[in-house]
Amino acid sequence: MTVRRNVTPWASAALVMTALLTTSCSAEEDNTPRNGSGSPSVTPHGYVEGAREAAEQQSRLVLNDPGSGDSRVLDLVSGKVHESARVEGAVRLGTDGRFGYLHTSGGTHVLDSGAWMVDHGDHVHYYSAAVRDVGELPAGGRAQVRSDAVVTAVTGEDGRGVLYDRSALEKGKIAKSRSLSGTYSGAVLPYEEHLLAFADEGGTTKLVVLDRAGRRVAAPDVECEGPRGDAVTRRGAVLGCADGALLVRAEDGGFTAEEIPYGQDVRARERATDFRQRPGSDTLTAPAGDDAVWILDVTERAWTRVETGPVIAAGTAGEGSPLLVLETDGALHGYDVATGKRTARTKTLLTGKGRAGTGGGPVPVIEVDRSRAYVNDPLGKKVFEIDYNDSLRVARTFGLDIEPVLMAETGR
């Protein structure tokens, strides 16, 4: 049964900060620079200095081979490949939709992919710019990076959080950081001009809401055992817990927290701890052990477990689209979410039969956007573009000069 708990209203200072941080398209349009003659010059709606606006999504793939350190950015619109700085020994690659974060044992390299979107709710702006390397964050391989339009929050393995000015990253530099007091479990997550975090209090892990300065402004009366995994959807922020998930939303001048339990006993190894989604979608996927996938419909507040073959990676576009599962046979499989039945399988082996994610080798991933999915084949030095609405047809194959072991899509 779903439980809803109201949260203490925000402090007045937090409301003032929210007003200052919130900008609108109308404000951007009023900010019209003047030319030399003193007459107003036209500023495009949603203008971002140094970027080119487009009517369609400007997707790119950030790619890295940890062995050689070679990194590339593949422009999915033009098909061009851009070289970037070498980053050796990367163990993970994350993204916030624009920046790629390559985590190594010695730090985290920040790469600006040059593709992003600005979501104004009722409409979206798509931008593209040059690829550039920003620099290094002093955060190791297990650090967790989460961003919104204002701040980038880095949570270290020790649970300490550090905030960076994201506008500085957009200008190609890493500004002076600000450390949060205390330690937290899981990632510190920027959400609705605040920060969501889990604090250990008296042996229990409780959700707390912080303002941008790190001051606690709300503390929902809700606990979360073993917090792990998070995602931001249009319905709210989803935070993974041992018995299911929490859905946190900004509502009526405060925050609310809902529990979405599994509704059944779930072993630790079958928990949903690595949420994947198409940005903007309210449907999340996560492996449920070795041979199944969890689907969380945030709108319906419901979990579905789909029994599959041996899972390497999974994803879905949501909204009636198939569940996509890369399995150890080297093929991509499509499943009907409602019935759990397999509906399609790629004729082409995308990773080579029997070697996908086995024997300690490279583990491919699936990136899903509004019309296509992308699967990396590290050993084959390829990336496959899949039309998941056409029986998993291979629409394009991108040959590369590196082994794309790590992959993340930006511009969405």
Side-chain angles (χ1 to χ4, degrees), residues 289-340:
D290 296 330
D291 302 298
V293 175
W294 286 113
I295 299 176
L296 174 58
D297 185 331
V298 180
T299 302
E300 298 297 328
R301 316 292 200 267
W303 294 93
T304 300
R305 180 186 170 106
V306 178
E307 301 295 333
T308 65
V311 179
I312 297 302
T316 183
E319 301 172 358
S321 297
L323 168 65
L324 305 177
V325 182
L326 182 65
E327 301 182 13
T328 53
D329 62 359
L332 185 67
H333 299 251
Y335 291 85
D336 183 284
V337 174
T339 65

Short mmCIF file of all heavy atoms in Angstrom, two decimals, residues 289-340:
data_model
loop_
_atom_site.label_atom_id
_atom_site.label_comp_id
_atom_site.label_asym_id
_atom_site.label_seq_id
_atom_site.Cartn_x
_atom_site.Cartn_y
_atom_site.Cartn_z
N GLY A 289 18.28 -9.04 -10.65
CA GLY A 289 19.08 -10.24 -10.60
C GLY A 289 19.64 -10.55 -11.98
O GLY A 289 19.82 -9.66 -12.82
N ASP A 290 19.89 -11.84 -12.26
CA ASP A 290 20.55 -12.23 -13.50
C ASP A 290 19.61 -12.45 -14.67
O ASP A 290 20.01 -12.30 -15.83
CB ASP A 290 21.35 -13.52 -13.28
CG ASP A 290 22.49 -13.34 -12.28
OD1 ASP A 290 23.02 -12.21 -12.22
OD2 ASP A 290 22.82 -14.31 -11.58
N ASP A 291 18.34 -12.80 -14.41
CA ASP A 291 17.45 -13.24 -15.48
C ASP A 291 16.11 -12.54 -15.49
O ASP A 291 15.11 -13.10 -15.94
CB ASP A 291 17.21 -14.75 -15.37
CG ASP A 291 18.51 -15.54 -15.43
OD1 ASP A 291 19.20 -15.45 -16.45
OD2 ASP A 291 18.83 -16.21 -14.43
N ALA A 292 16.07 -11.31 -15.01
CA ALA A 292 14.81 -10.57 -15.01
C ALA A 292 15.10 -9.07 -14.95
O ALA A 292 16.22 -8.65 -14.65
CB ALA A 292 13.92 -10.99 -13.84
N VAL A 293 14.08 -8.28 -15.25
CA VAL A 293 14.21 -6.82 -15.25
C VAL A 293 13.01 -6.21 -14.53
O VAL A 293 11.87 -6.63 -14.74
CB VAL A 293 14.27 -6.27 -16.70
CG1 VAL A 293 14.27 -4.74 -16.69
CG2 VAL A 293 15.50 -6.80 -17.43
N TRP A 294 13.29 -5.24 -13.68
CA TRP A 294 12.23 -4.46 -13.04
C TRP A 294 11.83 -3.31 -13.94
O TRP A 294 12.67 -2.65 -14.54
CB TRP A 294 12.69 -3.88 -11.71
CG TRP A 294 12.81 -4.84 -10.57
CD1 TRP A 294 13.94 -5.24 -9.93
CD2 TRP A 294 11.73 -5.48 -9.89
NE1 TRP A 294 13.65 -6.11 -8.91
CE2 TRP A 294 12.29 -6.27 -8.86
CE3 TRP A 294 10.35 -5.48 -10.05
CZ2 TRP A 294 11.52 -7.05 -8.00
CZ3 TRP A 294 9.57 -6.24 -9.20
CH2 TRP A 294 10.15 -7.02 -8.19
N ILE A 295 10.53 -3.05 -14.01
CA ILE A 295 10.01 -1.84 -14.64
C ILE A 295 9.19 -1.10 -13.60
O ILE A 295 8.27 -1.66 -12.99
CB ILE A 295 9.12 -2.17 -15.86
CG1 ILE A 295 9.94 -2.92 -16.91
CG2 ILE A 295 8.53 -0.90 -16.43
CD1 ILE A 295 9.13 -3.37 -18.09
N LEU A 296 9.54 0.16 -13.37
CA LEU A 296 8.80 1.00 -12.42
C LEU A 296 8.03 2.05 -13.21
O LEU A 296 8.62 2.93 -13.84
CB LEU A 296 9.73 1.66 -11.42
CG LEU A 296 9.09 2.68 -10.46
CD1 LEU A 296 7.96 2.03 -9.66
CD2 LEU A 296 10.13 3.28 -9.53
N ASP A 297 6.71 1.95 -13.19
CA ASP A 297 5.84 2.95 -13.80
C ASP A 297 5.55 3.99 -12.72
O ASP A 297 4.75 3.75 -11.81
CB ASP A 297 4.54 2.29 -14.28
CG ASP A 297 3.63 3.25 -15.03
OD1 ASP A 297 3.67 4.45 -14.74
OD2 ASP A 297 2.88 2.79 -15.91
N VAL A 298 6.22 5.13 -12.83
CA VAL A 298 6.10 6.14 -11.78
C VAL A 298 4.70 6.74 -11.77
O VAL A 298 4.17 7.07 -10.71
CB VAL A 298 7.16 7.24 -11.99
CG1 VAL A 298 7.06 8.30 -10.90
CG2 VAL A 298 8.57 6.63 -11.98
N THR A 299 4.08 6.87 -12.93
CA THR A 299 2.73 7.43 -12.99
C THR A 299 1.74 6.56 -12.22
O THR A 299 0.91 7.06 -11.46
CB THR A 299 2.27 7.56 -14.46
OG1 THR A 299 3.20 8.39 -15.17
CG2 THR A 299 0.88 8.18 -14.54
N GLU A 300 1.84 5.25 -12.42
CA GLU A 300 0.92 4.32 -11.77
C GLU A 300 1.41 3.87 -10.40
O GLU A 300 0.70 3.15 -9.68
CB GLU A 300 0.72 3.08 -12.66
CG GLU A 300 0.08 3.39 -14.01
CD GLU A 300 -1.32 3.95 -13.87
OE1 GLU A 300 -2.02 3.58 -12.91
OE2 GLU A 300 -1.70 4.77 -14.72
N ARG A 301 2.64 4.27 -10.04
CA ARG A 301 3.24 3.85 -8.76
C ARG A 301 3.27 2.33 -8.66
O ARG A 301 2.88 1.74 -7.64
CB ARG A 301 2.48 4.41 -7.56
CG ARG A 301 2.07 5.88 -7.65
CD ARG A 301 3.26 6.81 -7.61
NE ARG A 301 2.84 8.15 -7.23
CZ ARG A 301 2.52 9.12 -8.11
NH1 ARG A 301 2.58 8.85 -9.41
NH2 ARG A 301 2.17 10.31 -7.70
N ALA A 302 3.73 1.68 -9.73
CA ALA A 302 3.66 0.21 -9.77
C ALA A 302 4.93 -0.40 -10.34
O ALA A 302 5.51 0.11 -11.30
CB ALA A 302 2.46 -0.22 -10.61
N TRP A 303 5.36 -1.51 -9.72
CA TRP A 303 6.49 -2.30 -10.19
C TRP A 303 5.99 -3.48 -11.03
O TRP A 303 4.98 -4.08 -10.71
CB TRP A 303 7.27 -2.89 -9.01
CG TRP A 303 7.98 -1.90 -8.14
CD1 TRP A 303 7.49 -1.32 -7.00
CD2 TRP A 303 9.31 -1.41 -8.31
NE1 TRP A 303 8.44 -0.49 -6.45
CE2 TRP A 303 9.57 -0.53 -7.23
CE3 TRP A 303 10.32 -1.63 -9.25
CZ2 TRP A 303 10.78 0.14 -7.08
CZ3 TRP A 303 11.53 -0.97 -9.11
CH2 TRP A 303 11.75 -0.10 -8.04
N THR A 304 6.73 -3.81 -12.08
CA THR A 304 6.49 -5.03 -12.86
C THR A 304 7.81 -5.74 -13.04
O THR A 304 8.81 -5.12 -13.41
CB THR A 304 5.89 -4.71 -14.25
OG1 THR A 304 4.65 -4.01 -14.08
CG2 THR A 304 5.65 -5.98 -15.04
N ARG A 305 7.81 -7.04 -12.78
CA ARG A 305 9.01 -7.85 -12.98
C ARG A 305 8.82 -8.69 -14.24
O ARG A 305 7.87 -9.46 -14.35
CB ARG A 305 9.25 -8.75 -11.76
CG ARG A 305 10.49 -9.64 -11.88
CD ARG A 305 10.56 -10.59 -10.70
NE ARG A 305 11.58 -11.60 -10.90
CZ ARG A 305 12.75 -11.63 -10.28
NH1 ARG A 305 13.06 -10.67 -9.41
NH2 ARG A 305 13.63 -12.59 -10.51
N VAL A 306 9.72 -8.51 -15.20
CA VAL A 306 9.66 -9.24 -16.47
C VAL A 306 10.76 -10.29 -16.49
O VAL A 306 11.95 -9.96 -16.37
CB VAL A 306 9.82 -8.28 -17.67
CG1 VAL A 306 9.79 -9.06 -18.97
CG2 VAL A 306 8.71 -7.22 -17.66
N GLU A 307 10.36 -11.54 -16.62
CA GLU A 307 11.33 -12.63 -16.69
C GLU A 307 11.93 -12.66 -18.11
O GLU A 307 11.20 -12.72 -19.10
CB GLU A 307 10.66 -13.96 -16.38
CG GLU A 307 10.01 -14.02 -15.01
CD GLU A 307 11.02 -13.92 -13.87
OE1 GLU A 307 12.19 -14.31 -14.07
OE2 GLU A 307 10.63 -13.46 -12.78
N THR A 308 13.24 -12.61 -18.20
CA THR A 308 13.94 -12.57 -19.48
C THR A 308 15.00 -13.66 -19.52
O THR A 308 15.08 -14.50 -18.62
CB THR A 308 14.60 -11.20 -19.68
OG1 THR A 308 15.62 -11.03 -18.68
CG2 THR A 308 13.59 -10.07 -19.54
N GLY A 309 15.86 -13.60 -20.52
CA GLY A 309 17.05 -14.42 -20.51
C GLY A 309 18.11 -13.74 -19.68
O GLY A 309 17.84 -12.71 -19.02
N PRO A 310 19.34 -14.25 -19.65
CA PRO A 310 20.43 -13.64 -18.86
C PRO A 310 20.67 -12.19 -19.28
O PRO A 310 20.95 -11.90 -20.44
CB PRO A 310 21.63 -14.52 -19.19
CG PRO A 310 21.04 -15.83 -19.60
CD PRO A 310 19.77 -15.49 -20.32
N VAL A 311 20.53 -11.26 -18.34
CA VAL A 311 20.53 -9.82 -18.62
C VAL A 311 21.93 -9.23 -18.56
O VAL A 311 22.66 -9.43 -17.58
CB VAL A 311 19.62 -9.08 -17.62
CG1 VAL A 311 19.64 -7.58 -17.89
CG2 VAL A 311 18.21 -9.62 -17.68
N ILE A 312 22.29 -8.51 -19.62
CA ILE A 312 23.51 -7.70 -19.61
C ILE A 312 23.16 -6.24 -19.41
O ILE A 312 23.77 -5.53 -18.62
CB ILE A 312 24.30 -7.89 -20.93
CG1 ILE A 312 24.76 -9.33 -21.07
CG2 ILE A 312 25.51 -6.95 -20.95
CD1 ILE A 312 25.62 -9.82 -19.93
N ALA A 313 22.16 -5.77 -20.15
CA ALA A 313 21.71 -4.37 -20.04
C ALA A 313 20.25 -4.31 -20.44
O ALA A 313 19.75 -5.17 -21.18
CB ALA A 313 22.56 -3.47 -20.94
N ALA A 314 19.55 -3.28 -19.95
CA ALA A 314 18.13 -3.14 -20.27
C ALA A 314 17.76 -1.67 -20.33
O ALA A 314 18.43 -0.81 -19.75
CB ALA A 314 17.27 -3.86 -19.22
N GLY A 315 16.66 -1.39 -21.03
CA GLY A 315 16.16 -0.03 -21.11
C GLY A 315 14.84 0.00 -21.86
O GLY A 315 14.45 -0.98 -22.50
N THR A 316 14.15 1.12 -21.79
CA THR A 316 12.90 1.29 -22.53
C THR A 316 12.64 2.77 -22.72
O THR A 316 13.07 3.61 -21.92
CB THR A 316 11.71 0.64 -21.81
OG1 THR A 316 10.53 0.77 -22.62
CG2 THR A 316 11.44 1.30 -20.47
N ALA A 317 11.92 3.09 -23.79
CA ALA A 317 11.49 4.47 -24.01
C ALA A 317 10.23 4.78 -23.24
O ALA A 317 9.84 5.93 -23.11
CB ALA A 317 11.25 4.72 -25.50
N GLY A 318 9.57 3.75 -22.67
CA GLY A 318 8.33 3.94 -21.95
C GLY A 318 7.16 4.20 -22.88
O GLY A 318 7.27 4.07 -24.11
N GLU A 319 6.03 4.57 -22.32
CA GLU A 319 4.85 4.99 -23.07
C GLU A 319 4.48 3.99 -24.18
O GLU A 319 4.31 4.35 -25.34
CB GLU A 319 5.09 6.38 -23.68
CG GLU A 319 5.38 7.44 -22.63
CD GLU A 319 5.79 8.77 -23.23
OE1 GLU A 319 5.90 8.86 -24.48
OE2 GLU A 319 6.03 9.71 -22.47
N GLY A 320 4.38 2.72 -23.83
CA GLY A 320 3.97 1.71 -24.77
C GLY A 320 5.08 1.10 -25.60
O GLY A 320 4.83 0.20 -26.41
N SER A 321 6.31 1.55 -25.42
CA SER A 321 7.44 1.01 -26.16
C SER A 321 7.89 -0.30 -25.54
O SER A 321 7.63 -0.57 -24.36
CB SER A 321 8.61 2.00 -26.17
OG SER A 321 8.25 3.20 -26.83
N PRO A 322 8.59 -1.14 -26.29
CA PRO A 322 9.03 -2.42 -25.75
C PRO A 322 10.14 -2.27 -24.72
O PRO A 322 10.88 -1.27 -24.73
CB PRO A 322 9.53 -3.18 -26.98
CG PRO A 322 9.95 -2.09 -27.93
CD PRO A 322 8.97 -0.99 -27.71
N LEU A 323 10.24 -3.25 -23.85
CA LEU A 323 11.39 -3.37 -22.98
C LEU A 323 12.53 -3.95 -23.80
O LEU A 323 12.36 -4.98 -24.46
CB LEU A 323 11.07 -4.29 -21.80
CG LEU A 323 12.26 -4.74 -20.94
CD1 LEU A 323 12.89 -3.56 -20.22
CD2 LEU A 323 11.83 -5.82 -19.96
N LEU A 324 13.68 -3.31 -23.81
CA LEU A 324 14.84 -3.75 -24.57
C LEU A 324 15.83 -4.40 -23.63
O LEU A 324 16.23 -3.80 -22.63
CB LEU A 324 15.49 -2.57 -25.29
CG LEU A 324 14.57 -1.75 -26.20
CD1 LEU A 324 15.33 -0.57 -26.79
CD2 LEU A 324 13.98 -2.61 -27.31
N VAL A 325 16.24 -5.62 -23.95
CA VAL A 325 17.16 -6.36 -23.09
C VAL A 325 18.28 -6.94 -23.94
O VAL A 325 18.03 -7.72 -24.87
CB VAL A 325 16.44 -7.50 -22.33
CG1 VAL A 325 17.43 -8.21 -21.40
CG2 VAL A 325 15.27 -6.95 -21.54
N LEU A 326 19.50 -6.54 -23.65
CA LEU A 326 20.67 -7.17 -24.27
C LEU A 326 21.02 -8.38 -23.43
O LEU A 326 21.25 -8.26 -22.22
CB LEU A 326 21.85 -6.19 -24.32
CG LEU A 326 23.12 -6.71 -24.99
CD1 LEU A 326 22.88 -6.97 -26.47
CD2 LEU A 326 24.26 -5.71 -24.80
N GLU A 327 21.05 -9.56 -24.08
CA GLU A 327 21.28 -10.79 -23.33
C GLU A 327 22.61 -11.42 -23.74
O GLU A 327 23.25 -10.99 -24.70
CB GLU A 327 20.10 -11.75 -23.56
CG GLU A 327 18.78 -11.14 -23.10
CD GLU A 327 17.59 -12.07 -23.25
OE1 GLU A 327 17.79 -13.28 -23.47
OE2 GLU A 327 16.45 -11.58 -23.15
N THR A 328 23.03 -12.43 -23.01
CA THR A 328 24.35 -13.01 -23.21
C THR A 328 24.49 -13.79 -24.51
O THR A 328 25.58 -14.22 -24.86
CB THR A 328 24.73 -13.93 -22.03
OG1 THR A 328 23.70 -14.90 -21.82
CG2 THR A 328 24.93 -13.12 -20.77
N ASP A 329 23.39 -13.96 -25.26
CA ASP A 329 23.51 -14.58 -26.57
C ASP A 329 24.01 -13.60 -27.61
O ASP A 329 24.20 -13.95 -28.78
CB ASP A 329 22.18 -15.20 -27.01
CG ASP A 329 21.07 -14.16 -27.15
OD1 ASP A 329 21.32 -12.97 -26.90
OD2 ASP A 329 19.95 -14.55 -27.52
N GLY A 330 24.23 -12.33 -27.20
CA GLY A 330 24.75 -11.32 -28.11
C GLY A 330 23.70 -10.56 -28.87
O GLY A 330 24.01 -9.67 -29.66
N ALA A 331 22.42 -10.89 -28.68
CA ALA A 331 21.33 -10.23 -29.40
C ALA A 331 20.54 -9.30 -28.47
O ALA A 331 20.54 -9.46 -27.25
CB ALA A 331 20.39 -11.27 -30.01
N LEU A 332 19.87 -8.35 -29.10
CA LEU A 332 18.95 -7.48 -28.38
C LEU A 332 17.55 -8.05 -28.51
O LEU A 332 17.10 -8.39 -29.61
CB LEU A 332 19.00 -6.06 -28.96
CG LEU A 332 18.17 -5.00 -28.23
CD1 LEU A 332 18.76 -4.73 -26.84
CD2 LEU A 332 18.14 -3.70 -29.05
N HIS A 333 16.84 -8.18 -27.38
CA HIS A 333 15.51 -8.77 -27.35
C HIS A 333 14.50 -7.71 -26.95
O HIS A 333 14.78 -6.85 -26.10
CB HIS A 333 15.45 -9.92 -26.35
CG HIS A 333 16.40 -11.04 -26.66
ND1 HIS A 333 15.98 -12.27 -27.12
CD2 HIS A 333 17.76 -11.12 -26.58
CE1 HIS A 333 17.03 -13.06 -27.31
NE2 HIS A 333 18.13 -12.37 -26.99
N GLY A 334 13.31 -7.77 -27.55
CA GLY A 334 12.22 -6.88 -27.18
C GLY A 334 11.13 -7.65 -26.48
O GLY A 334 10.76 -8.76 -26.89
N TYR A 335 10.59 -7.07 -25.38
CA TYR A 335 9.54 -7.71 -24.59
C TYR A 335 8.36 -6.77 -24.45
O TYR A 335 8.52 -5.56 -24.28
CB TYR A 335 10.05 -8.10 -23.20
CG TYR A 335 11.07 -9.21 -23.19
CD1 TYR A 335 12.42 -8.94 -23.38
CD2 TYR A 335 10.69 -10.54 -22.99
CE1 TYR A 335 13.37 -9.96 -23.37
CE2 TYR A 335 11.62 -11.57 -22.97
CZ TYR A 335 12.96 -11.26 -23.17
OH TYR A 335 13.89 -12.28 -23.16
N ASP A 336 7.16 -7.35 -24.53
CA ASP A 336 5.95 -6.61 -24.25
C ASP A 336 5.84 -6.42 -22.74
O ASP A 336 5.82 -7.41 -22.00
CB ASP A 336 4.73 -7.34 -24.78
CG ASP A 336 3.45 -6.56 -24.58
OD1 ASP A 336 2.96 -6.52 -23.43
OD2 ASP A 336 2.93 -5.99 -25.55
N VAL A 337 5.77 -5.19 -22.29
CA VAL A 337 5.78 -4.91 -20.86
C VAL A 337 4.53 -5.47 -20.19
O VAL A 337 4.58 -5.99 -19.07
CB VAL A 337 5.90 -3.39 -20.61
CG1 VAL A 337 5.77 -3.09 -19.12
CG2 VAL A 337 7.23 -2.87 -21.13
N ALA A 338 3.40 -5.38 -20.86
CA ALA A 338 2.13 -5.81 -20.25
C ALA A 338 2.05 -7.32 -20.08
O ALA A 338 1.58 -7.82 -19.05
CB ALA A 338 0.96 -5.32 -21.10
N THR A 339 2.53 -8.06 -21.07
CA THR A 339 2.40 -9.53 -21.02
C THR A 339 3.67 -10.24 -20.61
O THR A 339 3.64 -11.40 -20.20
CB THR A 339 1.98 -10.07 -22.40
OG1 THR A 339 3.05 -9.80 -23.35
CG2 THR A 339 0.71 -9.39 -22.88
N GLY A 340 4.81 -9.56 -20.74
CA GLY A 340 6.08 -10.18 -20.43
C GLY A 340 6.60 -11.08 -21.53
O GLY A 340 7.64 -11.73 -21.38
#
